[in-house]
Amino acid sequence: MKLPHWFSVRSQGKALGLPELIAIALGGMVGGGIFTILGISVALIGPYTPLAIMAGGIIAALAAYSYVKLGVYYRDEGATYGFFKRTFPNSPLAAALIGWYVIFGYISTIALYAYTFSSYALSGTGFAGNDDLRKAVACGVIALFTLVNVWSVRGMGKIEDIMVYSKLALLLLIAVILLLHRESSLTELLVHPEIEFSWLNILTVAAVTFVAYEGFQLVINAVKEMENPDKNISRAIYSAIAIAIILYVVIAVAAILAIPAADIIANEEYALAAGAGKILGHIGADIVVLGAVLATSSAINGTLFGASRQVAVIAGDGFFPKSLEKRSNNIPVAAIAMMAVLAMALILAGGLKVILEFGSVTFLLVSLLMAIANFRTRKLTDSSLFITLLSIIGLAIGGGLILHFEYTENPEQLIFMLVLYGLLTLGALVFARVNTVRGYNSNP
């Protein structure tokens, strides 16, 4: 298939064109996403899981609106942090807080993707239940893609292209295989559901699993290395979200029709591999495992790339240790290494669900703050007042739903997350105070 002209053109001196940018966004989103949320969603709302996935995609599109508008206007590779700092220039504490929250949110998603990678990689072996080995493999894959990112921007982009577009083909193949071996129809499942239909529950699951759509923001972190930012930021982000929604829904429907709900729930950490294995034997399981490995690998790769640029920007402003600002050939080596080490630490300390839900809470909160920033600058960014207000309302509702879910279903986990936020807030306060003494500069 011949790609459109704007897909293949490269501006002189720019390493990343539209295919690489879409790949970075999809790499960040379609990673732990469908592989991690499927079992959790089916356990909570059964056959209504595709509706929650679509609702999550709509929330992501609302969040993306502000990112696109602010990204084109500011052209700041600091992205979330940079936008907030420039919109509220007289508040170093606000800048420090959002910087610490968003970076640790990215670190949690790297941990999530790596944990999912190891769960699927070991799913067909006798070590599938060995949690220590699973964590060791997860740390190993983070180390591998740390080296890839330190190696070369162009090399990272090309590897991301290959992994992302290969995984999309494999995931569609998985969906086709499952649909061809379906045991029931969606109509049958919906007519006699074991779980009562509830829009509140569907929206709650959409909020809990929102982290599956996290990743589109990473495109903006590459603004200095991309061609034609005015057009390609929006093209890459909206294209990636649309592709992710379609892919997630197709796979969820296929899995629900082909794999008994009890099996999906029992094997929630590698539900697709277990289901395909029962249907097609080792070949089916191997195809799913390969798709999961590619998906999570590209997610780790893309997240390390984009978020490390943001770390360097924040460090340059004095809200992280100054050593994290340093670059070699425009690559923030120290920032990449820091994120990798902390992601490994989170894997060793936490479990899959707490990592997933902490990431969802963090990115709903951060996206809400971005919508507020866009509301304040809506005349400068030429934003629609209606869409901006709709974004604020939708993201606020999503955040409230997930906090209520944690409070009612797992208060101990909520306490863990609140303690973690407390530590992040303390770190931000320390650096904000130091910056206030030195004289805070909000200019680029």
Side-chain angles (χ1 to χ4, degrees):
M1 180 180 70
K2 185 177 180 181
L3 295 174
H5 175 68
W6 48 265
F7 240 88
S8 58
V9 170
R10 291 290 183 275
S11 298
Q12 185 176 3
K14 298 296 183 181
L16 302 173
L18 187 58
E20 287 78 31
L21 296 174
I22 293 176
I24 289 170
L26 280 173
M29 286 191 288
V30 187
I34 189 62
F35 297 99
T36 303
I37 70 174
L38 185 61
I40 295 171
S41 298
V42 170
L44 294 171
I45 57 174
Y48 306 115
T49 292
L51 290 176
I53 290 173
M54 286 189 282
I58 292 171
I59 296 173
L62 289 173
Y65 181 78
S66 294
Y67 274 93
V68 168
K69 291 295 185 177
L70 292 168
V72 172
Y73 177 69
Y74 285 127
R75 292 201 185 190
D76 189 334
E77 70 172 347
T80 303
Y81 164 78
F83 302 160
F84 207 70
K85 179 188 73 170
R86 292 187 178 200
T87 304
F88 302 96
N90 298 318
S91 180
L93 176 57
L97 284 171
I98 200 166
W100 278 67
Y101 290 163
V102 73
I103 294 305
F104 208 85
Y106 283 129
I107 289 169
S108 72
T109 59
I110 292 171
L112 173 69
Y113 301 147
Y115 195 90
T116 304
F117 174 99
S118 62
S119 296
Y120 273 83
L122 297 174
S123 63
T125 72
F127 302 103
N130 189 323
D131 193 52
D132 290 336
L133 182 58
R134 187 182 295 167
K135 290 181 177 180
V137 172
C139 291
V141 74
I142 291 174
L144 173 63
F145 285 104
T146 297
L147 295 176
V148 170
N149 271 268
V150 169
W151 164 47
S152 161
V153 171
R154 191 175 294 275
M156 184 287 304
K158 296 304 180 185
I159 289 175
E160 191 73 358
D161 276 356
I162 294 169
M163 289 193 299
V164 170
Y165 296 119
S166 296
K167 82 181 176 186
L168 293 180
L170 272 174
L171 290 174
L172 288 174
L173 176 61
I174 291 166
V176 170
I177 291 172
L178 292 175
L179 286 172
L180 290 175
H181 293 81
R182 61 187 181 274
E183 295 183 353
S184 59
S185 69
L186 193 58
T187 302
E188 292 172 341
L189 292 176
L190 294 176
V191 169
H192 304 288
E194 296 181 2
I195 299 174
E196 184 179 351
F197 178 86
S198 167
W199 274 114
L200 179 62
N201 290 342
I202 289 170
L203 292 175
T204 298
V205 172
V208 169
T209 58
F210 180 72
V211 73
Y213 288 100
E214 183 281 318
F216 64 80
Q217 310 96 323
L218 297 172
V219 168
I220 300 168
N221 297 130
V223 68
K224 290 186 177 180
E225 288 132 326
M226 70 171 67
E227 63 172 16
N228 197 5
D230 285 347
K231 293 183 178 180
N232 282 345
I233 287 176
S234 59
R235 285 172 173 172
I237 287 177
Y238 291 132
S239 295
I241 290 174
I243 293 170
I245 293 172
I246 293 169
L247 189 64
Y248 287 169
V249 169
V250 170
I251 291 177
V253 169
I256 290 169
L257 295 182
I259 307 171
D263 289 346
I264 294 176
I265 297 168
N267 303 292
E268 69 177 21
E269 292 176 347
Y270 46 91
L272 285 176
K278 287 188 176 182
I279 294 170
L280 296 177
H282 287 299
I283 294 177
D286 289 346
I287 292 173
V288 175
V289 168
L290 179 58
V293 165
L294 280 172
T296 50
S297 294
S298 66
I300 296 167
N301 191 37
T303 304
L304 274 173
F305 171 82
S308 62
R309 269 72 183 164
Q310 197 164 163
V311 170
V313 171
I314 298 171
D317 286 342
F319 294 124
F320 282 144
K322 294 293 286 186
S323 59
L324 298 179
E325 179 188 12
K326 297 179 181 178
R327 304 193 188 209
S328 175
N329 296 323
N330 203 34
I331 298 173
V333 177
I336 293 170
M338 179 276 290
M339 295 192 69
V341 169
L342 290 181
M344 292 178 191
L346 188 58
I347 287 170
L348 296 175
L352 178 66
K353 284 188 177 180
V354 69
I355 296 173
L356 169 73
E357 290 165 17
F358 175 81
S360 291
V361 171
T362 299
F363 285 106
L364 278 169
L365 171 62
V366 169
S367 295
L368 174 60
L369 293 174
M370 287 299 97
I372 293 171
N374 191 43
F375 175 79
R376 179 164 180 167
T377 59
R378 62 190 182 280
K379 292 182 180 179
L380 298 174
T381 60
D382 192 27
S383 297
S384 163
L385 177 61
F386 173 75
I387 297 177
T388 304
L389 288 175
L390 185 62
S391 300
I392 292 173
I393 295 169
L395 292 165
I397 291 173
L401 287 173
I402 192 172
L403 290 175
H404 180 263
F405 173 81
E406 292 294 340
Y407 177 76
T408 56
E409 299 293 328
N410 199 337
E412 296 84 3
Q413 192 162 286
L414 178 61
I415 292 171
F416 176 84
M417 288 193 290
L418 291 176
V419 169
L420 193 52
Y421 276 117
L423 293 174
L424 295 175
T425 301
L426 180 61
L429 283 169
V430 170
F431 277 87
R433 183 176 180 82
V434 171
N435 247 5
T436 301
V437 172
R438 291 177 179 174
Y440 175 61
N441 179 17
S442 63
N443 294 321

